[in-house]
Structures are given as structure tokens and as C-alpha cells.
Amino acid sequence: MKTKITFNSPVVLGFAAASLAALVLGFLTAGAANRLLFSVHRSSLADPLTYLRFFTHVLGHSGWEHYIGNMSYLLLLGPALEEKYGSKKLLGVIGITAVVTGIVHFVLFPGTSLCGASGIVFALILLTSFAGFREGEVPATLILVVLIFIGQQVYEGIFVRDNVSNLTHILGGAVGAVLGYRMNRRRR
């Protein structure tokens, strides 16, 4: 028997490849590509790239460690979600999460830039918790995920001073929870 490699999750694999390309481009341009295309920051609303960056900031990463951390979760969670919900819906989750986190950051944090897929990772974490959801039930795993993952982000947002956008993680988780509830409620 021959074993072959399959392209099992086109959205997830495409996202990981596009993020890798953005990372390499960022290195090759000494960060100029990230500033121009792959990070949300306060800029003129007359600039068309402002609106593009609401989507593309999720492809940019500050370095290999940032990229590897996000892609590890994305590649772990994404294929099962893409199989369950389909490529189109998963792409919708990614797009909605990107726009929500991008616009909120643009409005609330004019002095900083935001890049990375961690909002999407948190959306997928919460979306995964809804995999076995049934109307009228609250999965115990959902409660634990909210307490552990989102609770940690709230704690770190209040008490830890670092370069991490905890609000983006919380917003991503909220998007994943809302969409997970809606997509699973309709399915049953």
C-alpha cells in the first residue's frame, strides 16, 4: 500500500502558509511589510490599506516564536473544525474574528500596533468547546475552557504588563463562543 499526503484542511493549511509568507516578507523587509500590510494601527480612514489591514493583521507575526505558538494551536484545532463545519464556515469565523479584533484595536488603542492570529486561536478554542453542544445544555468543557483560557487572559490583562493583547484573546474567544452557539443551535 502506498501512503500519500493529503491536503485535508485547505483553509487551515492556506492560512498557515499565508502567515508564513507574511512572516518571511516581514523579515526580508525589516518589518516594513508588517507595518504596511500585516498589523492594525491608527491610520487615516481615507487610506484603503486601513480597511485591508482589518483582515490581514491576523497573518502578521512578530517573530518565529509568535508564529509557531499560534500555528501550533491552529493546526491542532483547525482541521477538526474545518471537517465539522466546512471550509466556508471556518473561513467566515476567521474573517469575522479578524475584523472584530482589528476594528476594536483600531478604535481603542491608537498608539499601538496589533498583529498575529491569537484572536483566531481563541475563537477556535471556544468553537471547539461547542462541538458537542445541544440546545438546553451547557457542556462542562465549555465552562472549564472559559474559566481557564479566558480567565487567564482577564488576569494577565489586569496584572501582567507585557506586549500581549489580552483583549484580542478575549474578543476572539467571544466570537468563537457566539458563532459556535449559533452554528450548533441551527444544526440540531
Side-chain angles (χ1 to χ4, degrees), residues 5-186:
I5 297 173
T6 59
F7 197 67
N8 63 318
S9 187
V11 169
V12 171
L13 293 170
F15 186 90
S19 292
L20 179 60
L23 181 66
V24 170
L25 190 59
F27 284 137
L28 293 175
T29 62
N34 273 2
R35 287 187 295 281
L36 183 65
L37 298 172
F38 304 118
S39 64
V40 170
H41 48 82
R42 186 58 61 90
S43 57
S44 170
L45 292 175
D47 180 1
L49 291 178
T50 297
Y51 302 98
L52 178 66
R53 286 187 294 261
F54 288 150
F55 291 95
T56 60
H57 74 277
V58 296
L59 298 174
H61 288 84
S62 62
W64 288 109
E65 188 176 314
H66 189 206
Y67 173 80
I68 290 169
N70 281 331
M71 291 310 115
S72 297
Y73 278 105
L74 185 83
L75 291 166
L76 180 67
L77 301 169
L81 292 171
E82 192 165 349
E83 184 177 323
K84 178 177 174 59
Y85 297 112
S87 298
K88 198 172 176 182
K89 284 187 180 177
L90 186 63
L91 189 59
V93 170
I94 291 169
I96 290 167
T97 304
V99 169
V100 167
T101 57
I103 290 173
V104 169
H105 186 83
F106 181 86
V107 171
L108 295 181
F109 303 102
T112 63
S113 291
L114 173 69
C115 71
S118 56
I120 290 168
V121 165
F122 273 80
L124 298 185
I125 289 169
L126 269 288
L127 189 60
T128 299
S129 298
F130 275 94
F133 174 78
R134 287 185 198 79
E135 196 77 38
E137 296 179 1
V138 177
T141 54
L142 172 64
I143 295 167
L144 290 172
V145 165
V146 169
L147 288 173
I148 293 168
F149 281 97
I150 302 301
Q152 176 190 18
Q153 295 310 304
V154 171
Y155 172 83
E156 289 179 4
I158 295 169
F159 297 109
V160 177
R161 296 290 164 235
D162 56 17
N163 234 5
V164 175
S165 177
N166 302 97
L167 180 59
T168 298
H169 298 168
I170 294 166
L171 288 171
V175 169
V178 168
L179 294 177
Y181 174 79
R182 292 190 64 175
M183 288 189 300
N184 283 288
R185 184 181 57 134
R186 291 181 185 157

